[in-house]
Amino acid sequence: NNALLVYTHTTFPHRYVETLFNLGIVYQKSQRLISAYITLESVIETIELLSREIVDSEQTKPDVAEQWNQVYHSIVEVCLELKEYTEAIEYIELTKTRKLIKSLLPKIQSEIDAEKRKLQKLEKDNQDNINLKNLRYLRQQREYLVSRLDRFNPIRFSEIQNILNNETAIIQFYIFCNCFCAFIITRNNDKPDIWHFNQQDLDALNDWKKEYLIDYDAKYQDKNQWQNQLEERLKKLAEILHIEQLIDLVPEQCKRLILIPHRYLHLFPLHALPVKESYLIDLFPNGVGYAPSCQILQQVQLRQRPDFQSFFAIQNPTPDLYEKDLGTVSAIKKQFVDAHILKQDQANKSAILLGINENIHNVTLNEKLLKANCAFFFCHGYFNPNSPLYSGFLLADCFVSSELIKVDPKRYIPIPGDKDDRAVDLEKCLTLADIITHFKLENCRLVTLSACETGFTDSTSTSDEYIGLPSGFLLAGSTNVVSSLWTVSATATALLMIKFYEELQQQNNQNNIVLALNTAQRWLRDTTVKGFQDWVNKSSLSYVCIVYLNKYFAVNYKNALTKPFESPFYWAAFCNIGKGV
């Protein structure tokens, strides 16, 4: 307290925050919980103010809210000890959504500083036009994110309840340093039910995550090990998460479930957890979907997207995918009144972002995509853990020689396991940074990312935000994003997507997107070889695709009663993030 007489908010703001936080921790450890709450509340108010000052001044400093991430964890812990569960939820939400935006700002600012340093090394009369373009582009991204900050005000528990109807429940996870918990939220409970996990549960979860990711990363050496062990691994995860006990806390009248994971839990197919002799998606007749946070869920709930008639697709932009979609896009587009498709070499970045190679300030989004009610990407996706902003999609002309990595390792990145020793030119890709900066999807109800790893996030991050392609499309205006959690099977994905859109057509004018996806997933999981053959021969697929699929099933499966896609690897790869309807 004496130190705070010297370290004041105005004279030494960062030291003030540090000292105040230490004082709050002392109060917490001394079980003076009311004092701890009041003190930590003051810390957060100061952090929010300092963060805004840094954003406004474009100073090259670390994000204060990120630097003091533990403050938010501590006040949530104090709220839980005080049994103030509604306040705990509100502080969790405060950290998640605002930090999703704020966490992107330092990343962009570091890129701006790097470009400035490059330009300073060049003579004024011979400045590199590429560097100037990059600098303008990064500043535009930053300005757009700053404009988004003020749209997200703290959400109250009563507002979260208003998102829900009487038949919908939320399970929200939150991971601390030495434990984690799950909140069960419904419209009618005045405070959330809570399940406390202990240190042993957290240790088991961390060990499970480590083994899962190690085997996944090794799939290029032994692609079958991770895939074959997925079913058993999910059984173990269900035990660690006590999923049966959690579901017992959900009222019986709830027919729909929204999962809000935390940190690395975003990477796992929680909807495919085995429970009560079945799977989680089988227990909720109106579907199981996901949301990054309650606040983003509230934002997308407010968006009205009544139309579902126009369709925009990126189809097979890279040569290795030519004619490999098994007629998926052609079959789906028949369901729409207006369909526009960029196929093969037409599917390049300059066709999506008009003027991107000319003047960064005059970039406009393709008019057909701007007006689309549904956007569909059938291409390769990738996640860049070192710089999530540069995760994205491989478009036409993106493959180059790996030798270029030596020239510019930031622009050219390697392709893991690629037999042709190629690299990817990031400037030819559509990245999360492009989506955040230039996409305005104010007519879009559904973005489907039929590509690998499009639902990935950083598994090593200790922060609360969810940074990935789905959050980019949600921030751009879409109300739903269907994305993948791993490198997917082309055949299983094609079948799933065709069935998914068939279900959408039958689901009362597309009023339940998450249910349509879940229904398609159960169909893929439970259908036999004979069932698929009957379906294929009655489908609207082209003759060539029908012949191919009949041959595929006849050659690979001798028993007509075999369920070829019964493994969660095939049917559980995709999930819906967002509004769900």
Side-chain angles (χ1 to χ4, degrees):
N1 275 313
N2 287 339
L4 290 173
L5 299 176
V6 179
Y7 294 144
T8 67
H9 168 260
T10 54
T11 54
F12 298 99
H14 291 268
R15 294 294 184 126
Y16 170 80
V17 170
E18 181 180 9
T19 305
L20 200 61
F21 173 53
N22 289 338
L23 180 61
I25 295 301
V26 171
Y27 282 140
Q28 181 185 2
K29 291 184 176 181
S30 304
Q31 288 299 297
R32 295 171 64 178
L33 298 177
I34 299 298
S35 296
Y37 179 87
I38 294 171
T39 305
L40 293 171
E41 187 178 39
S42 298
V43 176
I44 288 175
E45 290 174 356
T46 308
I47 286 175
E48 290 291 312
L49 179 62
L50 291 176
S51 295
R52 184 72 228 188
E53 290 174 357
I54 289 175
V55 166
D56 289 338
S57 62
E58 196 178 299
Q59 297 178 42
T60 309
K61 296 179 181 178
D63 186 351
V64 179
E66 175 64 21
Q67 182 181 357
W68 291 101
N69 187 50
Q70 184 56 41
V71 178
Y72 297 92
H73 291 306
S74 297
I75 200 166
V76 172
E77 289 175 339
V78 170
C79 288
L80 293 178
E81 290 185 82
L82 290 169
K83 300 189 184 306
E84 298 290 347
Y85 298 147
T86 59
E87 283 80 0
I89 286 284
E90 290 170 359
Y91 274 110
I92 287 171
E93 286 297 316
L94 176 64
T95 68
K96 278 191 172 186
T97 307
R98 291 183 67 81
K99 283 168 63 183
L100 168 62
I101 305 295
K102 289 179 181 178
S103 63
L104 297 175
L105 292 170
K107 295 178 175 67
I108 292 179
Q109 187 60 49
S110 65
E111 296 288 338
I112 290 174
D113 295 336
E115 294 299 328
K116 283 181 178 178
R117 287 192 294 271
K118 287 181 184 178
L119 289 172
Q120 288 172 356
K121 293 180 180 179
L122 300 170
E123 295 182 5
K124 291 184 179 180
D125 58 349
N126 188 33
Q127 287 189 337
D128 190 326
N129 287 331
I130 294 178
N131 285 343
L132 285 171
K133 175 185 172 183
N134 289 342
L135 184 59
R136 289 195 296 268
Y137 181 49
L138 291 165
R139 281 178 170 163
Q140 187 176 7
Q141 291 175 14
R142 190 181 187 285
E143 290 167 7
Y144 179 71
L145 285 172
V146 170
S147 71
R148 287 270 176 165
L149 272 175
D150 294 328
R151 298 189 186 185
F152 295 101
N153 296 315
I155 189 171
R156 299 303 176 193
F157 184 74
S158 59
E159 295 177 280
I160 297 173
Q161 288 182 298
N162 288 336
I163 297 171
L164 307 174
N165 59 33
N166 292 330
E167 296 186 343
T168 303
I170 290 174
I171 296 181
Q172 181 168 17
F173 294 92
Y174 196 76
I175 300 174
F176 300 93
C177 295
N178 55 5
C179 65
F180 64 109
C181 61
F183 299 89
I184 296 88
I185 306 169
T186 60
R187 184 176 180 86
N188 297 321
N189 56 352
D190 57 355
K191 61 180 180 180
D193 289 317
I194 185 169
W195 181 274
H196 293 275
F197 301 89
N198 57 32
Q199 178 71 59
Q200 186 177 358
D201 293 325
L202 182 59
D203 292 341
L205 179 61
N206 284 327
D207 290 342
W208 186 95
K209 176 203 74 168
K210 183 178 179 180
E211 292 176 5
Y212 176 97
L213 294 176
I214 287 174
D215 278 355
Y216 182 81
D217 290 339
K219 65 185 181 297
Y220 299 108
Q221 286 73 43
D222 184 359
K223 64 180 181 181
N224 293 323
Q225 180 174 340
W226 174 83
Q227 178 178 332
N228 292 340
Q229 293 181 353
L230 183 58
E231 178 90 47
E232 289 300 315
R233 278 211 168 101
L234 291 178
K235 289 180 182 178
K236 180 62 177 177
L237 181 59
E239 293 174 5
I240 294 170
L241 296 179
H242 300 275
I243 194 67
E244 290 198 14
Q245 291 92 328
L246 281 182
I247 296 306
D248 286 340
L249 295 175
V250 177
E252 289 185 6
Q253 73 267 20
C254 291
K255 308 300 182 185
R256 181 183 170 207
L257 180 65
I258 300 171
L259 297 167
I260 302 182
H262 186 220
R263 291 174 54 190
Y264 52 73
L265 287 177
H266 286 287
L267 294 170
F268 310 134
L270 303 183
H271 59 287
L273 291 178
V275 53
K276 298 181 179 179
E277 306 300 325
S278 186
Y279 294 93
L280 193 58
I281 64 169
D282 299 316
L283 303 182
F284 293 88
N286 289 339
V288 177
Y290 293 78
S293 68
C294 291
Q295 190 163 52
I296 287 183
L297 183 61
Q298 181 193 48
Q299 291 285 322
V300 298
Q301 290 277 19
L302 295 173
R303 299 170 188 167
Q304 300 302 314
R305 303 285 189 268
D307 297 327
F308 203 65
Q309 298 180 333
S310 58
F311 177 72
F312 180 93
I314 298 295
Q315 180 182 6
N316 306 338
T318 53
D320 61 321
L321 287 179
Y322 285 1
E323 309 304 331
K324 292 290 181 66
D325 71 333
L326 303 183
T328 303
V329 176
S330 298
I332 291 173
K333 75 174 183 179
K334 296 175 184 178
Q335 302 176 22
F336 292 86
V337 175
D338 178 30
H340 183 76
I341 298 170
L342 294 177
K343 185 177 180 180
Q344 298 181 1
D345 59 355
Q346 296 179 340
N348 55 56
K349 190 170 180 176
S350 59
I352 299 171
L353 298 175
L354 308 182
I356 190 70
N357 297 324
E358 299 164 9
N359 187 337
I360 197 66
H361 291 289
N362 294 325
V363 174
T364 57
L365 189 64
N366 184 296
E367 184 179 0
K368 295 292 185 180
L369 178 54
L370 184 67
K371 296 179 179 179
N373 308 134
C374 177
F376 190 94
F377 290 78
F378 193 98
C379 55
H380 287 304
Y382 65 92
F383 180 73
N384 187 336
N386 297 321
S387 183
L389 276 175
Y390 293 101
S391 305
F393 306 99
L394 306 188
L395 300 180
D397 304 324
C398 66
F399 291 141
V400 295
S401 169
S402 62
E403 291 296 317
L404 289 173
I405 297 174
K406 301 175 184 177
V407 178
D408 190 346
K410 293 188 69 175
R411 175 174 174 177
Y412 305 102
I413 61 173
I415 305 174
D418 185 62
K419 297 178 181 178
D420 297 323
D421 195 29
R422 297 171 299 178
V424 169
D425 183 353
L426 289 177
E427 289 196 3
K428 301 288 187 180
C429 298
L430 182 68
T431 66
L432 176 58
D434 296 320
I435 294 164
I436 289 171
T437 307
H438 299 297
F439 274 43
K440 304 291 186 294
L441 302 177
E442 297 179 356
N443 298 295
C444 190
R445 185 188 294 182
L446 172 62
V447 174
T448 303
L449 308 179
S450 183
C452 296
E453 301 183 351
T454 49
F456 261 37
T457 59
D458 185 1
S459 64
T460 62
S461 174
T462 59
S463 293
D464 299 337
E465 72 277 355
Y466 171 64
I467 301 176
L469 291 168
S471 57
F473 282 106
L474 291 175
L475 288 172
S478 179
T479 58
N480 291 280
V481 181
V482 170
S483 59
S484 63
L485 296 172
W486 50 74
T487 301
V488 296
S489 159
T491 302
T493 298
L495 292 169
L496 176 67
M497 290 301 158
I498 295 170
K499 184 64 174 177
F500 171 40
Y501 277 82
E502 280 186 0
E503 289 295 323
L504 276 179
Q505 195 174 31
Q506 299 170 16
Q507 291 287 343
N508 189 24
N509 195 29
Q510 303 85 35
N511 281 337
N512 198 329
I513 289 174
V514 69
L515 178 57
L517 177 62
N518 290 171
T519 302
Q521 290 172 316
R522 287 191 291 268
W523 170 83
L524 187 71
R525 179 191 69 196
D526 298 336
T527 302
T528 63
V529 168
K530 186 176 187 308
F532 280 120
Q533 290 171 328
D534 293 342
W535 175 83
V536 166
N537 292 326
K538 295 177 183 178
S539 71
S540 60
L541 294 173
S542 68
Y543 175 76
V544 173
C545 293
I546 291 174
V547 170
Y548 171 84
L549 286 170
N550 277 323
K551 182 179 179 181
Y552 170 85
F553 288 114
V555 170
N556 291 289
Y557 305 98
K558 303 305 180 185
N559 187 342
L561 298 180
T562 298
K563 296 178 180 178
F565 305 116
E566 190 174 19
S567 166
F569 168 75
Y570 298 108
W571 63 266
F574 288 86
C575 59
N576 182 84
I577 304 171
K579 189 174 182 178
V581 297

